[in-house]
Amino acid sequence: MGRVTTILSIQSSVAYGHVGNSAAVFPLQRLGVEVWPVHTVHFSNHTGYGAWRGPLMAPEDVREVVTGVQERGALEEVDAVLSGYQGGEQIGEVILDAVARTKAASPRAIYACDPVMGNAKSGCFVHPAIPVLLRERVVPQADLITPNQFELGFLTETEPDDLDSTLASVEAARAMGPSTVLVTSVLRPDRPEGTIEMLAVHGDGAWIVRTPHLPLKANGSGDVTAALFTAHLLETGDAGLALGRTVSSVFDLLQRTLDSGRRELQLVQSQEEIARPRMQFDVERLR
């Protein structure tokens, strides 16, 4: 067996349920990835419930954890730094510092950023300073970003709608810094009813996958998606294959969650579909 892929994942953590690191770590481990979770909060549950308990980590404490890992000489092993929801400007700076330190120790390492800001249904649900931070400071340092279609528009100050405008927005995002963009929740007007798509652009290529649109709001599904796509892309270097594997696993996870009638992602119950994606959807190459 060759060298194991290693990801430093700087995200939130919850005791009950699956968002942030509590959504990303286990799927990555099932793929055989070594994951080092650094928690930015440790809450009882995700904030979508409207009530939660537990500490928000001070930015300096998060920085100290990364420093401790660095002192072990371990940053040299890292293939990717992964980040999700950024609760404040200070934590954003801590993540960027961790990325810089990691890349100095491990020049092959990439920064995979999920620029969490909102969605088409809810609008922007983060502090007004966060989109500015992401647009001006964070995304330019990222190699891979995984926005939904709404976030892609918010980030690039464009209005992606049909496929052409969405691809144009992707290129606007790539001009900011990242070479790879995964767009989730693509809802173009001319799609067949009851469907949703995911789009990946990497190098000169672009790929899209269409699936049924499940009637489900699943907190943490974006975190799982970002983690899986990052891992599959690192392993294969093939964005089309990474997209197909990611979509397959996430669809089966969401279908099982819907069937369960439960609010939280049925992550453990879906581990086989994560470890061995069924590849039940066609990946269409656009260019």
Side-chain angles (χ1 to χ4, degrees), residues 33-82:
V33 173
E34 183 75 65
V35 196
W36 300 338
V38 178
H39 301 327
T40 55
V41 310
H42 187 57
F43 288 165
S44 54
N45 50 272
H46 69 69
T47 58
Y49 286 95
W52 65 92
R53 296 177 183 270
L56 184 70
M57 302 300 179
E60 268 313 304
D61 289 338
V62 179
R63 192 188 304 269
E64 280 288 286
V65 172
V66 175
T67 298
V69 173
Q70 183 178 23
E71 289 170 346
R72 305 286 77 75
L75 292 184
E76 296 173 7
E77 300 175 40
V78 175
D79 296 288
V81 178
L82 175 64

